[in-house]
Amino acid sequence: MLNSMQFMVRGWLRVAALLAVTTLALPVAAQAPAAGSAGSSAAPAPQPAPSAGPVDPWAGASAAPAPAPPVEVYSDNDPSALTDFRQTLDAYGGWVEDPTYGVVWVPDRRLVGEDFAPYVTRGSWAVDEEGDWVWVSQDPFAWVVYHYGRWVWTSSAGWVWIPGRQYAKAWVVWRTPIDGYGYVGWAPMPPSFIWIDGYATTLWFYPPVPYVFCASAFVFSHSVHHHVVHQPARIRTIASHTRRY
C-alpha cells in the first residue's frame, strides 16, 4: 500500500510543482509521500525523536541517521496511552473530561498561542531518511502529539489531543489535486475512539475534518502557516479542485 501511495503522490507533486506560479522548485526527496500518515503497526517505545532528526529538504547533506530504537508493537487503543505520555504533557497543558470526546489533553494557549493548529503552526513538513513526510516541531511535547494519538477540534477548548498508542510519522489525511491546480490540503486524522473511564470506546460519529490548503511550492516552507489559505471563498474553490487521497 505504501509503494502505491508513494507512486501516486509523487505524480501529483510533480505536476503541481510544474504548474506553480513561483519558480521555487521542490527538492527531489520531497516528491515522496507521507507514508506514515495512515499509521503503522510497529511503534517505537515512547521517547523523544533521535537527535539526528528528519532531513530538512532545504538543507544540504543530512546528518547520519541515529540508531533505530527498540521496536514494540502496540494497538492504538492500548490503555498505556493514558499514562505513558503524562510526564511529558503535564507541564505543557491540562487534562480535561470533554463531554463529547472523553479524556483529552489541551495545550496551554499561553505557550502555543491562540492561533494554534496541529500540523500547521509551530512546525513544518520535512522528509526523513526513508523518504517519508514528517511534521517537525521544536516543541518539547511534539514527539508525542504529532506521532501518537489524534487531534480534534472542539467548540469549547479549540484543538484537543486524544491519547493513542500507535506510532505514525504523521497522523493526517490529505487532499490531492485532480487537475494540476497546484494546491495540496491536509488535516489531522479524526479519532475512531475516545477514552471513557479508562476504556477505549468506539466513536459513534465521524468528526468534521478541517482541511487547510497551501500552494504545493510552499508545502516545505519553514513558515508554512504563512502560506495557508484563509479566505473561505478561495478555500472552497481550491477544495473543488482536489480529492481526498
Side-chain angles (χ1 to χ4, degrees):
M1 181 179 295
L2 294 182
N3 290 335
S4 174
M5 181 180 178
Q6 290 175 343
F7 176 80
M8 294 179 66
V9 179
R10 284 192 185 101
W12 66 253
L13 273 180
R14 290 193 181 99
V15 172
L18 290 173
L19 295 177
V21 295
T22 176
T23 58
L24 180 62
L26 290 174
V28 174
Q31 307 290 337
S37 61
S40 171
S41 60
Q47 60 180 26
S51 58
V55 177
D56 183 341
W58 301 123
S62 62
V71 173
E72 300 180 32
V73 177
Y74 293 90
S75 62
D76 200 27
N77 58 359
D78 190 311
S80 63
L82 294 171
T83 57
D84 283 355
F85 305 123
R86 279 187 175 267
Q87 185 174 1
T88 295
L89 299 181
D90 281 353
Y92 306 104
W95 298 88
V96 301
E97 188 81 27
D98 184 85
T100 301
Y101 296 103
V103 176
V104 299
W105 177 75
V106 184
D108 189 334
R109 292 303 192 273
R110 295 172 298 178
L111 299 176
V112 300
E114 292 297 330
D115 63 343
F116 170 77
Y119 303 106
V120 178
T121 60
R122 303 178 65 82
S124 60
W125 290 108
V127 180
D128 69 7
E129 291 86 350
E130 297 177 345
D132 296 330
W133 289 17
V134 59
W135 183 253
V136 180
S137 171
Q138 298 304 313
D139 285 329
F141 52 83
W143 69 274
V144 176
V145 300
Y146 296 126
H147 303 292
Y148 299 90
R150 305 288 193 281
W151 286 95
V152 68
W153 172 263
T154 66
S155 58
S156 59
W159 286 103
V160 302
W161 181 77
I162 298 175
R165 196 58 188 83
Q166 192 175 63
Y167 176 84
K169 301 292 180 68
W171 286 104
V172 296
V173 290
W174 297 90
R175 293 192 68 89
T176 59
I178 58 177
D179 52 11
Y181 199 67
Y183 282 82
V184 59
W186 67 91
M189 182 179 290
S192 59
F193 64 87
I194 59 177
W195 295 100
I196 304 294
D197 295 329
Y199 295 93
T201 303
T202 301
L203 193 60
W204 58 91
F205 67 95
Y206 193 77
V209 183
Y211 285 94
V212 296
F213 293 90
C214 173
S216 60
F218 297 106
V219 169
F220 291 99
S221 168
H222 285 231
S223 56
V224 66
H225 61 286
H226 290 313
H227 300 286
V228 168
V229 178
H230 295 286
Q231 300 87 346
R234 191 177 173 202
I235 290 173
R236 288 192 293 270
T237 299
I238 293 171
S240 69
H241 290 271
T242 65
R243 63 183 173 190
R244 182 170 177 176
Y245 181 78

